Amino acid sequence: MATLKKLGRSFYRRKNVVEIARDLIGKILVTGFDEILTSARIVETEAYAGVIDRASHAHGGRRTKRTEIMYAKGGHAYIYLCYGVHHLFNIVTNGEDVPHAVLVRAAEPLEGIEQMMERAGRKSSNKTDISLTSGPGNLSRALGISTHHSGIDLLGEEIFIASDGLRVADSDIISTPRIGVEYAGEDAMLRYRFILRGNPYISAKKIFKI
DNA sequence: CGACCGATCGTCT
DNA sequence: GACGATCGGTCGA
């Protein structure tokens, strides 16, 4: 595997969260805790544009104990529990008091696949199953990410994003509306979701046809 | 294959 | 006390 270069603060502090969501396609999400290292290449993201975005937890400047970390400077993890079951991993972006975030929805496993399957309760004899890291809940489970990690700095060693130098052509990144945000009115139509063209790990493929 | 439904619980009203 | 930025199983066509 090529040398990994951890993304620095400047990547996350940029002001355009949609651009950051697009730039994250092809980057590598790494977790290293419990003496287990797992990594996966990000193939699907969604941008949440803060106070003006009706789909965002920070819409209208809403600020609660749970969402407080969204108001931190870029490069922190915001993880919350969805439907009481799924731990969804978000990357906080922009500067302090600007609650932008990118939801990572799917990735392609690279390192530690055995450990990922163990975390997901799969039999290691099974051939690699797409659903292992397809969809935000599955991805977090495979990488061992839970709400307990919410607030950690992505410049540390527990959870971080890195580049292995892979360049993804603009033409290989497709934008679509976000998944499961019908409640957001006009904002539900924004093409803030990005997927790596043709990658099998992408979730909610129905939307592909749009 | 598509539609539907139950699981499950922290968070916010 | 209601409700999710979901998932996986089941059921019917």
Side-chain angles (χ1 to χ4, degrees), chain A residues 41 74 81:
Chain A
R41 190 180 304 281
L81 186 64

Side-chain angles (χ1 to χ4, degrees), chain A residues 12 17 46-80 88-103 150-152 178 183:
Chain A
Y12 302 107
V17 66
E46 286 180 357
Y48 287 85
V51 298
I52 60 164
D53 184 349
R54 289 184 59 189
S56 170
H57 289 169
H59 177 243
R62 209 154 56 98
R63 195 162 183 155
T64 67
K65 192 170 179 185
R66 178 181 65 147
T67 60
E68 183 62 29
I69 191 61
M70 296 183 81
Y71 292 82
K73 66 183 173 189
H76 289 84
Y78 167 47
I79 299 143
Y80 73 95
L88 304 212
F89 172 67
N90 296 254
I91 297 163
V92 175
T93 72
N94 210 311
E96 204 165 335
D97 292 324
V98 185
H100 289 180
V102 175
L103 169 66
S150 193
I152 74 166
R178 294 171 289 187
Y183 59 87

Side-chain angles (χ1 to χ4, degrees), chain A residues 174-179 190-195 207-208:
Chain A
I174 300 168
S175 69
T176 83
R178 294 171 289 187
I179 305 298
L190 295 168
R191 301 177 80 84
Y192 279 3
R193 173 172 176 250
F194 297 96
I195 58 182
I207 307 297
F208 216 102

Side-chain angles (χ1 to χ4, degrees), chain A residues 25 110 124 133 170 187 193 202:
Chain A
I25 299 294
L110 295 176
S124 60
T133 52
D170 284 347
D187 289 344
R193 173 172 176 250
I202 288 157

Side-chain angles (χ1 to χ4, degrees), chain A residues 167-173:
Chain A
R167 292 279 194 157
V168 180
D170 284 347
S171 58
D172 284 334
I173 299 178

